[in-house]
Amino acid sequence: MAQIRNTKAAQEVPAMQEFYDMITKDSDRACYGPKHVELANERLAIKTLLLTDTWFRSPDVAARRKYVDLAESVKNLGGAVRVFSSMNVSGHQLEQVTGIAAVLRFPLPDLDHIEM
């Protein structure tokens, strides 16, 4: 079990690093927060979806279904989905930026003007 956890954590770290790199280098190609990520998905822009496992443990069944559908949509459109454990450091880091983020295929500068 420890080896499996280490492998999963090893996948989370590069995904988180890619997100932070994109925020600093080309902020129009990264977004976070449920509303911005959902809009990016509607525009077929998500390259990598990052979300914490807490989105899948919500007591609200409709909310859980919404994020399962989002993850499936990203996968179906050729994107990668990384689910971060809220028990790992990278999961805690992602929680600091709402627990949901995306690295985009192309810039979406107008997302900055939409209130979360």
Side-chain angles (χ1 to χ4, degrees):
M1 286 302 285
Q3 288 176 331
I4 291 171
R5 274 190 295 245
N6 289 339
T7 302
K8 188 169 178 359
Q11 293 174 351
E12 293 174 357
V13 171
M16 224 23 221
Q17 188 60 49
E18 180 185 21
F19 172 72
Y20 284 132
D21 288 346
M22 197 60 71
I23 285 285
T24 57
K25 293 177 186 174
D26 188 1
S27 63
D28 290 340
R29 289 195 50 215
C31 65
Y32 59 91
K35 190 171 186 176
H36 288 173
V37 171
E38 289 168 22
L39 285 171
N41 187 55
E42 288 173 13
R43 296 177 185 178
L44 312 176
I46 297 179
K47 174 184 167 192
T48 307
L49 175 66
L50 301 87
L51 62 159
T52 58
D53 57 1
T54 54
W55 292 98
F56 299 112
R57 289 190 269 132
S58 170
D60 180 357
V61 176
R64 282 196 316 256
R65 181 82 244 159
K66 178 179 177 179
Y67 292 102
V68 167
D69 290 346
L70 175 64
E72 287 176 3
S73 174
V74 169
K75 283 182 187 177
N76 290 338
L77 295 168
V81 176
R82 301 284 181 250
V83 179
F84 289 68
S85 170
S86 57
M87 304 302 265
N88 288 338
V89 173
S90 54
H92 288 288
Q93 290 174 336
L94 186 55
E95 284 290 333
Q96 297 297 313
V97 289
T98 72
I100 186 167
V103 175
L104 307 179
R105 291 185 172 105
F106 50 85
L108 291 177
D110 62 324
L111 286 182
D112 289 340
H113 306 297
I114 298 169
E115 289 187 40
M116 292 173 57

